[in-house]
């Protein structure tokens, strides 16, 4: 007995033959052929569903493998590139943000122009993937007041309005170019810390050259405290607080430049305040950008 015959009870064929002796056999064949077609259709549909399920599972597996590869790559890079750090001494001063020591603040380690350029005159690390600069919370701030640090004559404490309810205190090296009322660009999502007992809650972006000139990066005309400075080619929302292990600023800074027109950019992408224009150095050109 074949598969089709097994689908029907023998009494059905007998009943059809009795009702219609001439065409009962043909009617039975008709029922059997339709039963086979229905069975094949059901098997085909089950096969298609199984294939779709396998495609979905394969896609998920591929994404999981790519994620594991990225995590492994990050771990290997951190293992190879993490510098040796000595234990903190008794006189250690908490840093203003991850990777910024008190010594660096007292004598800012702004990289020289030569250090930021490769052998061909372009920025170093041209083959490296871009940093996640969209994670940086760069904002326009107005300097409300500047005073000497109570415990260090070569440090300044600036009160800066950043479009929030209360101004922030920013500790940096004492300079002559801290005019009260001026606008500048600040990195606002660094980890706050104390420098010689005074809390510092942001960092000031400065333009500088190897031969010594240095000046704060200026936002475009019409800017207001709290305006965000963005990278149009690298969209995204900034982190609430930069994670030290990501080293976003440290990776981006060597390629932050002021071009021949005095316009600030990262890998050719201008630092802009939306609808108001690019940020510029007040007088410098072909200079690096640092953060103090």
């Amino acid at each position: 007995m074949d598969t089709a015959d097994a689908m029907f009870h023998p009494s059905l064929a007998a009943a059809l033959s009795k009702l219609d002796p001439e065409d009962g056999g043909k009617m039975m064949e008709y029922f059997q052929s339709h039963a086979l077609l229905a069975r094949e259709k059901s098997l085909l549909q089950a096969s298609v569903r199984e294939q779709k399920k396998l495609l979905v599972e394969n896609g998920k597996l591929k994404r999981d493998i790519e994620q594991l590869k990225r995590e492994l790559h990050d771990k290997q890079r951190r293992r190879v590139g993490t510098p040796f750090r000595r234990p903190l001494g008794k006189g250690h001063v908490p840093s203003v943000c991850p990777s910024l020591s008190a010594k660096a603040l007292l004598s800012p380690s702004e990289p020289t122009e030569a250090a930021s350029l490769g052998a061909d005159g372009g920025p170093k690390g041209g083959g490296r993937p871009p940093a996640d600069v969209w994670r940086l919370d760069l904002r326009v701030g107005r300097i409300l007041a500047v005073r000497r640090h109570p415990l260090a004559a070569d440090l300044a404490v600036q009160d800066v309005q950043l479009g929030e309810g209360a101004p922030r205190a920013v500790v940096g090296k004492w300079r002559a170019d801290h005019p009260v009322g001026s606008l500048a660009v600040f990195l606002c999502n660094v980890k706050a810390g104390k420098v010689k007992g005074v809390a510092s809650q942001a960092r000031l972006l400065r333009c500088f050259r190897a031969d010594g000139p240095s000046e704060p990066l200026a936002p475009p005309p019409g800017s207001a405290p709290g305006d965000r400075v963005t990278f149009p080619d690298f969209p995204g929302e900034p982190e609430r607080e930069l994670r030290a292990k990501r080293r976003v600023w440290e990776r981006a800074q060597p390629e932050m430049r002021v071009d021949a027109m005095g316009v600030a950019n990262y890998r050719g992408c201008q630092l802009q305040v939306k609808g108001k224009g690019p940020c510029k150095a007040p007088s410098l050109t072909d200079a690096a950008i640092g953060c103090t």
Side-chain angles (χ1 to χ4, degrees), residues 67-84 125 127-132 135 243-248 250-252 266-267:
Q67 178 65 26
L68 289 173
K69 287 169 65 177
R70 286 194 295 269
E71 292 177 358
L72 179 60
H73 177 71
D74 290 342
K75 288 181 180 179
Q76 291 175 337
R77 183 174 56 190
R78 288 196 297 269
R79 187 181 300 118
V80 173
T82 302
F84 173 76
R128 296 179 305 183
D132 296 336
R135 297 182 188 275
R243 300 181 187 179
K245 66 179 182 180
R246 293 189 190 276
R247 299 180 62 82
V248 178
E250 290 78 4
R251 290 178 56 212
Y266 169 74
R267 291 198 171 193

Side-chain angles (χ1 to χ4, degrees), residues 2-290:
D2 59 19
T3 304
D5 292 336
M7 293 181 184
F8 301 99
H9 195 276
S11 59
L12 177 61
L16 289 174
S17 298
K18 185 175 180 180
L19 290 172
D20 193 338
E22 294 183 1
D23 297 326
K26 292 182 180 179
M27 294 172 64
M28 189 64 187
E29 291 178 0
Y30 174 81
F31 289 149
Q32 289 174 342
S33 62
H34 274 268
L36 285 173
L37 288 174
R39 182 180 180 84
E40 290 177 359
K41 181 179 179 181
S42 176
L43 292 174
L44 180 60
Q45 289 175 339
S47 176
V48 170
R49 286 195 298 269
E50 188 66 23
Q51 288 180 356
K52 289 182 178 179
K53 181 180 178 181
L54 288 175
L55 287 174
V56 172
E57 292 177 350
N58 287 342
K60 184 178 182 300
L61 182 60
K62 184 177 180 181
R63 290 193 296 272
D64 291 343
I65 291 174
E66 291 298 325
Q67 178 65 26
L68 289 173
K69 287 169 65 177
R70 286 194 295 269
E71 292 177 358
L72 179 60
H73 177 71
D74 290 342
K75 288 181 180 179
Q76 291 175 337
R77 183 174 56 190
R78 288 196 297 269
R79 187 181 300 118
V80 173
T82 302
F84 173 76
R85 296 181 180 177
R86 296 183 180 179
L88 300 179
K90 183 177 179 181
H92 172 73
V93 180
S95 62
V96 178
C97 76
S99 79
L100 179 67
S101 65
K103 181 179 178 181
L105 185 59
L106 291 170
S107 179
S109 56
E110 296 172 342
T112 64
E113 185 176 23
S116 298
L117 298 178
D120 59 354
K124 284 186 176 180
R128 296 179 305 183
D132 296 336
V133 290
W134 51 269
R135 297 182 188 275
L136 302 173
D137 185 5
L138 297 177
R139 277 187 260 162
V140 176
R142 186 181 300 280
I143 302 174
L144 301 178
V146 181
R147 60 188 181 277
R148 294 276 187 180
H149 192 292
L151 300 178
D154 54 352
L155 292 181
V157 181
Q158 304 173 74
D159 294 327
V160 182
Q161 177 56 255
L162 292 160
E164 301 167 327
R168 294 194 193 188
V170 179
V171 179
K173 186 176 179 180
W174 179 266
R175 301 176 187 270
D177 57 354
H178 289 308
V180 175
S182 65
L183 294 175
V185 179
F186 293 83
L187 177 58
C188 297
N189 58 344
V190 294
K191 184 178 181 180
K194 289 188 176 181
V195 180
K196 292 188 178 294
V198 177
S200 185
Q201 301 168 303
R203 296 178 69 186
L204 172 68
L205 266 64
R206 298 186 66 86
C207 313
F208 60 92
R209 284 209 303 250
D211 53 4
S214 172
E215 59 190 10
L217 180 64
S223 298
D227 284 349
R228 189 181 168 206
V229 177
T230 62
F231 303 80
D233 293 345
F234 303 93
E237 290 300 316
E239 292 184 334
R240 180 166 183 166
E241 182 178 290
L242 289 175
R243 300 181 187 179
K245 66 179 182 180
R246 293 189 190 276
R247 299 180 62 82
V248 178
W249 173 257
E250 290 78 4
R251 290 178 56 212
Q253 188 277 325
E255 297 179 86
M256 299 272 280
R257 304 284 302 168
V258 173
D259 61 22
M261 302 298 293
V263 177
N265 66 84
Y266 169 74
R267 291 198 171 193
C269 173
Q270 295 181 350
L271 279 67
Q272 294 191 358
V273 175
K274 187 176 181 180
K276 298 176 182 178
C279 297
K280 296 183 178 181
S283 62
L284 294 178
T285 57
D286 296 316
I289 298 174

